[in-house]
Amino acid sequence: MELWFTEKQTPAFGITAKIKQTYVNEKTDFQDLAMVETEEFGNMLLLDGMVMTTEKDEFVYHEMVAHPVLNTHPNPKHVLVVGGGDGGVIREIIKHPEVEKAVLVDIDGKVIEYSKKYLPSIAGKLEDPRVEVHVNDGFMHIHEHKNEYDVIMVDSTEPVGPAAPLFERGFYQGIFEALKDDGMFVAQTDNPWFKADLIQKVNRDVKEIFPIVRVYGANIPTYPSGLWTFTLGSKKYDPLEVNEADIPEMDTKYYTPRLHKAAFVLPKFVEDLTK
């Protein structure tokens, strides 16, 4: 008998993957968590029925959260990741030698635990000496650490359940206050096909707080629609003013110095959402 999993990305559309085996299927204190092995994408982490990451395509998302902002800020010594318990963004952050400390704050310790066990290629750097891992509320952490971080990255689920407060204007204001005078942040902001209103709202809110706001995109096949957006807010540095020649070649599979500015060139219907 074949076993298939379908993520209902809208009430009328979904993505389906053939499952080889199920490792974990439990309700944590915060969400439904499943870890499965798929035939097409390898091991897959699911939260509340939504695909969070897979072994096959995870590098796109994690590289595109980390590298555009870290290659824009001239000296990102102290970096915070809110969410991201799978460890993929942390893995990319510590590829930057100038980073002295990377702090991960995820509300659900089970995500961290099972990612270490079933996604070691993603979570394998959580034990790095430059990394601090805290099982805590990222929203509260932001408000308790003023003027502390050079860069903040919000690696959240979609705006449901425990991640809902991470898409509110008050959270972005808290991020602004937790950043140093030249700080920057980036957040995943879903897809323009099914969540256009969300992209518009986040863009509007962030523009009321940060003087420089840029939206960029990437192709991630297991995320709704395959076209994903990220919103970057900066107090001082513009990613479009980075000299490509100054970006170091890194051990990446998606992001490159040439892609840095290209990622900010949006299809017109997406660009219109940012106006």
mmCIF file of all heavy atoms in Angstrom, residues 3 7 11 13 15 27 45 65 91 97 107 128 148 152 164 169 177 180 196 214 216 266 272 275:
data_model
loop_
_atom_site.group_PDB
_atom_site.id
_atom_site.type_symbol
_atom_site.label_atom_id
_atom_site.label_comp_id
_atom_site.label_asym_id
_atom_site.label_seq_id
_atom_site.Cartn_x
_atom_site.Cartn_y
_atom_site.Cartn_z
ATOM 1 N N LEU A 3 1.674 5.194 0.696
ATOM 2 C CA LEU A 3 1.287 6.213 1.663
ATOM 3 C C LEU A 3 1.720 7.576 1.134
ATOM 4 O O LEU A 3 2.895 7.759 0.785
ATOM 5 C CB LEU A 3 1.939 5.944 3.022
ATOM 6 C CG LEU A 3 1.642 6.948 4.145
ATOM 7 C CD1 LEU A 3 0.157 6.935 4.486
ATOM 8 C CD2 LEU A 3 2.477 6.629 5.379
ATOM 9 N N GLU A 7 -0.031 18.430 1.805
ATOM 10 C CA GLU A 7 -0.174 19.700 2.508
ATOM 11 C C GLU A 7 -1.206 20.531 1.766
ATOM 12 O O GLU A 7 -1.010 20.871 0.591
ATOM 13 C CB GLU A 7 1.148 20.471 2.576
ATOM 14 C CG GLU A 7 0.974 21.841 3.233
ATOM 15 C CD GLU A 7 2.197 22.728 3.164
ATOM 16 O OE1 GLU A 7 3.292 22.224 2.829
ATOM 17 O OE2 GLU A 7 2.061 23.939 3.444
ATOM 18 N N PRO A 11 -7.458 25.997 0.658
ATOM 19 C CA PRO A 11 -8.566 25.044 0.725
ATOM 20 C C PRO A 11 -8.795 24.283 -0.575
ATOM 21 O O PRO A 11 -9.452 23.237 -0.570
ATOM 22 C CB PRO A 11 -9.772 25.939 1.066
ATOM 23 C CG PRO A 11 -9.174 27.107 1.783
ATOM 24 C CD PRO A 11 -7.855 27.347 1.103
ATOM 25 N N PHE A 13 -6.056 23.729 -3.012
ATOM 26 C CA PHE A 13 -4.803 23.356 -3.672
ATOM 27 C C PHE A 13 -3.834 22.792 -2.647
ATOM 28 O O PHE A 13 -3.779 23.254 -1.504
ATOM 29 C CB PHE A 13 -4.175 24.575 -4.357
ATOM 30 C CG PHE A 13 -2.847 24.272 -5.020
ATOM 31 C CD1 PHE A 13 -2.798 23.661 -6.260
ATOM 32 C CD2 PHE A 13 -1.651 24.591 -4.394
ATOM 33 C CE1 PHE A 13 -1.584 23.378 -6.864
ATOM 34 C CE2 PHE A 13 -0.434 24.306 -4.990
ATOM 35 C CZ PHE A 13 -0.402 23.689 -6.237
ATOM 36 N N ILE A 15 0.114 20.206 -2.119
ATOM 37 C CA ILE A 15 1.295 19.541 -2.662
ATOM 38 C C ILE A 15 1.388 18.166 -2.009
ATOM 39 O O ILE A 15 1.137 18.024 -0.807
ATOM 40 C CB ILE A 15 2.581 20.362 -2.423
ATOM 41 C CG1 ILE A 15 3.806 19.661 -3.027
ATOM 42 C CG2 ILE A 15 2.781 20.636 -0.947
ATOM 43 C CD1 ILE A 15 5.079 20.489 -2.950
ATOM 44 N N LYS A 27 2.101 15.494 19.137
ATOM 45 C CA LYS A 27 1.666 16.852 19.452
ATOM 46 C C LYS A 27 2.558 17.382 20.559
ATOM 47 O O LYS A 27 2.571 16.845 21.670
ATOM 48 C CB LYS A 27 0.204 16.855 19.888
ATOM 49 C CG LYS A 27 -0.381 18.247 20.077
ATOM 50 C CD LYS A 27 -1.867 18.186 20.327
ATOM 51 C CE LYS A 27 -2.473 19.590 20.404
ATOM 52 N NZ LYS A 27 -2.345 20.329 19.123
ATOM 53 N N LEU A 45 10.476 17.707 7.606
ATOM 54 C CA LEU A 45 9.897 18.171 8.856
ATOM 55 C C LEU A 45 8.577 18.865 8.567
ATOM 56 O O LEU A 45 8.509 19.769 7.725
ATOM 57 C CB LEU A 45 10.855 19.141 9.555
ATOM 58 C CG LEU A 45 10.303 19.919 10.759
ATOM 59 C CD1 LEU A 45 9.940 18.978 11.908
ATOM 60 C CD2 LEU A 45 11.303 20.975 11.229
ATOM 61 N N VAL A 65 17.959 33.191 3.541
ATOM 62 C CA VAL A 65 17.730 33.937 4.782
ATOM 63 C C VAL A 65 19.029 34.578 5.252
ATOM 64 O O VAL A 65 19.066 35.758 5.614
ATOM 65 C CB VAL A 65 17.162 33.019 5.890
ATOM 66 C CG1 VAL A 65 17.153 33.755 7.237
ATOM 67 C CG2 VAL A 65 15.756 32.560 5.547
ATOM 68 N N ARG A 91 23.555 27.098 10.469
ATOM 69 C CA ARG A 91 24.633 26.490 9.669
ATOM 70 C C ARG A 91 25.201 27.480 8.666
ATOM 71 O O ARG A 91 26.432 27.543 8.452
ATOM 72 C CB ARG A 91 24.081 25.261 8.944
ATOM 73 C CG ARG A 91 25.112 24.511 8.101
ATOM 74 C CD ARG A 91 24.422 23.544 7.146
ATOM 75 N NE ARG A 91 23.601 24.269 6.178
ATOM 76 C CZ ARG A 91 22.609 23.725 5.470
ATOM 77 N NH1 ARG A 91 22.289 22.456 5.646
ATOM 78 N NH2 ARG A 91 21.928 24.460 4.605
ATOM 79 N N PRO A 97 33.070 34.195 8.933
ATOM 80 C CA PRO A 97 34.047 34.211 10.043
ATOM 81 C C PRO A 97 33.928 35.416 10.949
ATOM 82 O O PRO A 97 34.355 35.370 12.102
ATOM 83 C CB PRO A 97 35.400 34.190 9.318
ATOM 84 C CG PRO A 97 35.116 34.685 7.928
ATOM 85 C CD PRO A 97 33.736 34.242 7.612
ATOM 86 N N ILE A 107 10.786 28.451 20.273
ATOM 87 C CA ILE A 107 9.852 28.185 21.372
ATOM 88 C C ILE A 107 9.631 26.696 21.615
ATOM 89 O O ILE A 107 9.247 26.286 22.703
ATOM 90 C CB ILE A 107 8.507 28.893 21.095
ATOM 91 C CG1 ILE A 107 7.709 29.030 22.389
ATOM 92 C CG2 ILE A 107 7.717 28.172 20.003
ATOM 93 C CD1 ILE A 107 6.493 29.942 22.267
ATOM 94 N N ASP A 128 28.106 24.124 17.515
ATOM 95 C CA ASP A 128 29.287 24.946 17.280
ATOM 96 C C ASP A 128 29.526 25.876 18.468
ATOM 97 O O ASP A 128 28.582 26.412 19.052
ATOM 98 C CB ASP A 128 29.097 25.762 15.991
ATOM 99 C CG ASP A 128 30.343 26.517 15.582
ATOM 100 O OD1 ASP A 128 30.596 27.604 16.147
ATOM 101 O OD2 ASP A 128 31.074 26.023 14.705
ATOM 102 N N GLU A 148 21.213 45.174 21.051
ATOM 103 C CA GLU A 148 22.186 44.105 21.290
ATOM 104 C C GLU A 148 22.697 43.439 20.016
ATOM 105 O O GLU A 148 23.841 42.983 19.964
ATOM 106 C CB GLU A 148 21.555 43.050 22.199
ATOM 107 C CG GLU A 148 22.509 41.956 22.635
ATOM 108 C CD GLU A 148 21.961 41.129 23.778
ATOM 109 O OE1 GLU A 148 21.229 41.672 24.627
ATOM 110 O OE2 GLU A 148 22.270 39.929 23.814
ATOM 111 N N ILE A 152 19.251 40.434 12.877
ATOM 112 C CA ILE A 152 18.220 39.536 13.385
ATOM 113 C C ILE A 152 17.532 38.873 12.201
ATOM 114 O O ILE A 152 17.156 39.548 11.234
ATOM 115 C CB ILE A 152 17.187 40.286 14.248
ATOM 116 C CG1 ILE A 152 17.858 40.822 15.518
ATOM 117 C CG2 ILE A 152 16.020 39.375 14.614
ATOM 118 C CD1 ILE A 152 16.947 41.692 16.375
ATOM 119 N N ALA A 164 2.151 33.353 14.930
ATOM 120 C CA ALA A 164 1.300 34.480 14.549
ATOM 121 C C ALA A 164 1.828 35.837 15.031
ATOM 122 O O ALA A 164 1.839 36.807 14.259
ATOM 123 C CB ALA A 164 -0.128 34.246 15.032
ATOM 124 N N ARG A 169 3.100 44.240 13.621
ATOM 125 C CA ARG A 169 3.910 45.453 13.619
ATOM 126 C C ARG A 169 4.705 45.618 14.912
ATOM 127 O O ARG A 169 5.860 46.047 14.897
ATOM 128 C CB ARG A 169 3.031 46.685 13.394
ATOM 129 C CG ARG A 169 3.836 47.965 13.163
ATOM 130 C CD ARG A 169 2.945 49.192 13.132
ATOM 131 N NE ARG A 169 3.709 50.383 12.808
ATOM 132 C CZ ARG A 169 4.520 51.036 13.643
ATOM 133 N NH1 ARG A 169 4.695 50.583 14.887
ATOM 134 N NH2 ARG A 169 5.173 52.120 13.249
ATOM 135 N N GLU A 177 14.278 47.924 17.980
ATOM 136 C CA GLU A 177 14.872 48.322 19.252
ATOM 137 C C GLU A 177 15.943 47.344 19.724
ATOM 138 O O GLU A 177 16.863 47.739 20.461
ATOM 139 C CB GLU A 177 13.771 48.454 20.304
ATOM 140 C CG GLU A 177 12.789 49.574 19.990
ATOM 141 C CD GLU A 177 11.561 49.553 20.879
ATOM 142 O OE1 GLU A 177 11.534 48.729 21.824
ATOM 143 O OE2 GLU A 177 10.633 50.356 20.625
ATOM 144 N N LYS A 180 21.303 47.181 16.943
ATOM 145 C CA LYS A 180 22.191 48.316 17.156
ATOM 146 C C LYS A 180 21.870 49.419 16.137
ATOM 147 O O LYS A 180 21.011 49.256 15.268
ATOM 148 C CB LYS A 180 23.646 47.857 17.036
ATOM 149 C CG LYS A 180 24.037 46.853 18.116
ATOM 150 C CD LYS A 180 25.476 46.374 17.931
ATOM 151 C CE LYS A 180 25.833 45.330 18.980
ATOM 152 N NZ LYS A 180 27.208 44.784 18.789
ATOM 153 N N ALA A 196 -0.681 37.277 -0.877
ATOM 154 C CA ALA A 196 -0.353 38.638 -1.326
ATOM 155 C C ALA A 196 -0.658 39.668 -0.244
ATOM 156 O O ALA A 196 0.109 40.615 -0.026
ATOM 157 C CB ALA A 196 -1.106 38.972 -2.608
ATOM 158 N N ARG A 214 13.658 46.246 1.601
ATOM 159 C CA ARG A 214 13.782 45.560 0.314
ATOM 160 C C ARG A 214 13.135 44.188 0.405
ATOM 161 O O ARG A 214 13.241 43.501 1.422
ATOM 162 C CB ARG A 214 15.252 45.384 -0.084
ATOM 163 C CG ARG A 214 16.069 46.657 -0.152
ATOM 164 C CD ARG A 214 15.642 47.551 -1.280
ATOM 165 N NE ARG A 214 16.495 48.727 -1.408
ATOM 166 C CZ ARG A 214 16.192 49.788 -2.154
ATOM 167 N NH1 ARG A 214 15.044 49.807 -2.845
ATOM 168 N NH2 ARG A 214 17.013 50.816 -2.222
ATOM 169 N N TYR A 216 12.936 40.413 -1.577
ATOM 170 C CA TYR A 216 13.584 39.571 -2.578
ATOM 171 C C TYR A 216 12.952 38.190 -2.580
ATOM 172 O O TYR A 216 12.121 37.864 -1.722
ATOM 173 C CB TYR A 216 15.096 39.512 -2.366
ATOM 174 C CG TYR A 216 15.573 38.936 -1.051
ATOM 175 C CD1 TYR A 216 15.993 37.612 -0.955
ATOM 176 C CD2 TYR A 216 15.671 39.737 0.098
ATOM 177 C CE1 TYR A 216 16.478 37.085 0.243
ATOM 178 C CE2 TYR A 216 16.142 39.227 1.290
ATOM 179 C CZ TYR A 216 16.543 37.907 1.364
ATOM 180 O OH TYR A 216 17.015 37.394 2.545
ATOM 181 N N LEU A 266 12.174 41.636 -8.887
ATOM 182 C CA LEU A 266 10.946 40.890 -8.679
ATOM 183 C C LEU A 266 10.062 40.901 -9.922
ATOM 184 O O LEU A 266 10.055 41.884 -10.670
ATOM 185 C CB LEU A 266 10.159 41.507 -7.513
ATOM 186 C CG LEU A 266 10.886 41.583 -6.172
ATOM 187 C CD1 LEU A 266 10.058 42.409 -5.185
ATOM 188 C CD2 LEU A 266 11.152 40.189 -5.620
ATOM 189 N N ASP A 272 4.601 45.015 -7.442
ATOM 190 C CA ASP A 272 3.440 45.877 -7.178
ATOM 191 C C ASP A 272 2.961 45.735 -5.724
ATOM 192 O O ASP A 272 2.381 46.680 -5.177
ATOM 193 C CB ASP A 272 2.292 45.524 -8.126
ATOM 194 C CG ASP A 272 2.567 45.994 -9.551
ATOM 195 O OD1 ASP A 272 3.485 46.821 -9.747
ATOM 196 O OD2 ASP A 272 1.859 45.531 -10.474
ATOM 197 N N LYS A 275 4.648 48.369 -3.271
ATOM 198 C CA LYS A 275 4.523 49.813 -3.508
ATOM 199 C C LYS A 275 3.505 50.427 -2.566
ATOM 200 O O LYS A 275 2.616 49.759 -2.069
ATOM 201 C CB LYS A 275 4.119 50.063 -4.972
ATOM 202 C CG LYS A 275 5.198 49.653 -5.958
ATOM 203 C CD LYS A 275 4.746 49.889 -7.388
ATOM 204 C CE LYS A 275 5.829 49.502 -8.389
ATOM 205 N NZ LYS A 275 5.400 49.666 -9.779
#
